[in-house]
Amino acid sequence: MDFTFTEEQQAAIEAARAVFSGAAPDGVPSPALVPGAVAEDIDRPLWAGLAAGDLLSLTLSPEHGGAGLDLVALCLVLRESAKVLARVPLLETCAVAMALQRYGDAGLAAELLPRVGRGELVLTVGANGRTGHDPAELAVTARREAPASNRPGEGPGNAPDDADGDGAGWVLDGVQSGVPWAQAADWIAVPAHTGEGRAVVALIRSTHDGVTLAEQVSTNGELFAEVRLDSVRIDSRALIDTVGAWEWLRALLITGTCALALGLGEAVLTMTSEYTGKREQFGFPVATFQSVAVQAADRYIDLRAMEVTLWQAAWRISTGAGGALPAEGDIAVAKIWASDGVRRVVQTAQHLHGGFGADTDYPLHRFHAWAKQVELSLGPAAAHEEALGDLLAAHLLS
């Protein structure tokens, strides 16, 4: 397997490092010291820097002002963002934009995507459902609404602004919990299910009539929201009903989360290496002790396994290449390693730092909180082990 990145992908890494070099993990209050969210908004200066560096348009096609790169390039940037705990919805915005570009209405894509690339719009997605344990699309219902001319008391003048021109639209009801940075987002992608059981994705303005945002706080102290939809009417072009669109978007989100776990774990292991190289006991750096070196080596192996499974999953999605199992198998393996690996890395780091690791003036506890958030996002290892087992049962390997 060739892990050499293209010149364009290498350029994306360098651009990301330049932008994130000014970000500090302790730029907001510690989640351990505040009762609610650490901040009311995303890091707007950093968001502007990402736009200026053309990183928000990285995966957009040239017709929408982008570079036309793939998921691998996005994961490289996400990896760098996690090393500084960047407080921006980079994954959510780029993943929703990619889904809109691939499956959505061409007119809506032309209207929104150039603005996304310029940093003028923030996108997010509700991928946790009502509880975080059931499929997200089951938490919201989407029913087709008849043209306004066929509804009692309504005429064409009262119809939704429908690109199809027939006045038809959709009505959505339900709840999506734990939506990242929903209060800062302009548009929210909401998975839903139709009466026929099909999964669809609705694009809804956060200020749309019938949309209510209730404050929630994530494990890492960020402001999330419970998004409640009460008879929210949207026009047909704002709903993506292509078969497989939601599954593809969810695959992007899971794989991007694995990239965040990798970058976070690498930063923590580097931090641990620097600390144990300076901290002395009995006149020697603790890094020279065999028990310390073995634990650090085990975590290094975790990171390399996280890396190889991440690139395998991203490559399968980007190329559509076949395999013994569907791409969902590689995605599940990547998330299993990401969830278990990042947890082991931060736990070992806390152990090797001793009491110093719990000091709120030292950034390690922040990385621990973010690691727990990433570990559980879009399903812990056990959930993906179950999904992988189902895939293996359905595709017997010779």
Side-chain angles (χ1 to χ4, degrees):
M1 186 176 293
D2 184 6
F3 286 117
T4 304
F5 298 113
T6 66
E7 291 184 6
E8 292 83 359
Q9 291 166 344
Q10 291 284 3
I13 296 173
E14 295 303 319
R17 287 174 178 170
V19 173
F20 292 124
S21 63
D26 55 357
V28 293
S30 165
L33 300 178
V34 294
V38 296
E40 294 299 315
D41 197 7
I42 63 175
D43 188 337
R44 292 288 177 177
L46 181 56
W47 191 252
L50 289 170
D54 295 327
L55 293 173
L56 297 181
S57 60
L58 196 68
T59 56
L60 299 181
S61 65
E63 68 177 299
H64 296 133
L69 299 186
D70 59 9
L71 178 61
V72 173
L74 175 60
C75 286
L76 289 169
V77 176
L78 290 168
R79 181 186 190 177
E80 297 302 317
S81 76
K83 294 178 182 179
V84 297
L85 306 184
R87 300 182 48 261
V88 287
L90 178 62
L91 169 57
E92 293 81 8
T93 293
C94 290
V96 173
M98 291 170 71
L100 175 59
Q101 178 173 261
R102 182 182 178 103
Y103 295 107
D105 177 81
L108 187 61
E111 176 186 335
L112 299 184
L113 295 183
R115 298 185 62 196
V116 169
R118 294 193 297 268
E120 298 171 4
L121 293 178
V122 174
L123 311 179
T124 190
V125 54
N128 293 311
R130 182 181 292 270
T131 65
H133 300 290
D134 299 321
E137 66 273 18
L138 299 183
V140 177
T141 60
R143 68 179 187 274
R144 186 76 171 179
E145 190 173 42
S149 58
N150 295 339
R151 297 196 298 268
E154 294 193 31
N158 297 321
D161 180 15
D162 196 319
D164 295 341
D166 60 359
W170 293 81
V171 180
L172 298 117
D173 290 279
V175 175
Q176 289 288 347
S177 183
V179 180
W181 290 296
Q183 290 85 348
D186 300 285
W187 290 77
I188 303 172
V190 178
H193 69 281
T194 66
E196 299 81 27
R198 292 187 296 113
V200 296
V201 181
L203 295 172
I204 304 172
R205 293 181 184 273
S206 58
T207 56
H208 198 291
D209 290 343
V211 175
T212 304
L213 306 182
E215 180 177 312
Q216 294 179 320
V217 180
S218 65
T219 302
N220 56 349
E222 296 300 335
L223 184 60
F224 283 17
E226 178 189 80
V227 178
R228 184 173 297 275
L229 309 176
D230 184 12
S231 297
V232 174
R233 292 176 61 193
I234 62 172
D235 60 54
S236 294
R237 70 172 189 158
L239 188 128
I240 303 173
D241 62 355
T242 306
V243 174
W246 163 240
E247 290 75 12
W248 190 79
L249 173 54
R250 187 172 186 273
L252 297 184
L253 294 169
I254 294 173
T255 307
T257 301
C258 295
L260 294 173
L262 176 61
L264 192 155
E266 289 175 331
V268 168
L269 189 60
T270 298
M271 189 185 310
T272 305
S273 175
E274 292 174 351
Y275 176 78
T276 56
K278 297 176 181 177
R279 176 76 166 88
E280 291 188 359
Q281 286 185 359
F282 311 110
F284 296 94
V286 296
T288 62
F289 298 168
Q290 187 179 38
S291 61
V292 173
V294 167
Q295 290 182 71
D298 284 343
R299 301 296 76 83
Y300 177 82
I301 292 171
D302 275 335
L303 291 175
R304 298 290 69 79
M306 291 163 65
E307 184 175 17
V308 68
T309 53
L310 164 66
W311 299 133
Q312 173 72 7
W315 174 74
R316 286 289 303 274
I317 295 171
S318 298
T319 64
L325 289 177
E328 289 80 4
D330 292 294
I331 295 166
V333 170
K335 189 55 166 70
I336 291 166
W337 272 105
S339 292
D340 282 344
V342 77
R343 185 188 71 251
R344 288 193 291 259
V345 168
V346 294
Q347 286 177 342
T348 297
Q350 290 281 12
H351 174 64
L352 296 182
H353 275 82
F356 195 57
D359 188 344
T360 55
D361 290 330
Y362 189 68
L364 181 58
H365 76 287
R366 296 175 183 267
F367 282 88
H368 202 153
W370 277 73
K372 181 57 66 174
Q373 177 70 32
V374 169
E375 175 195 346
L376 301 179
S377 292
L378 297 164
H384 291 277
E385 288 167 353
E386 182 178 352
L388 182 60
D390 291 341
L391 283 171
L392 289 169
H395 300 81
L396 296 179
L397 305 180
S398 58

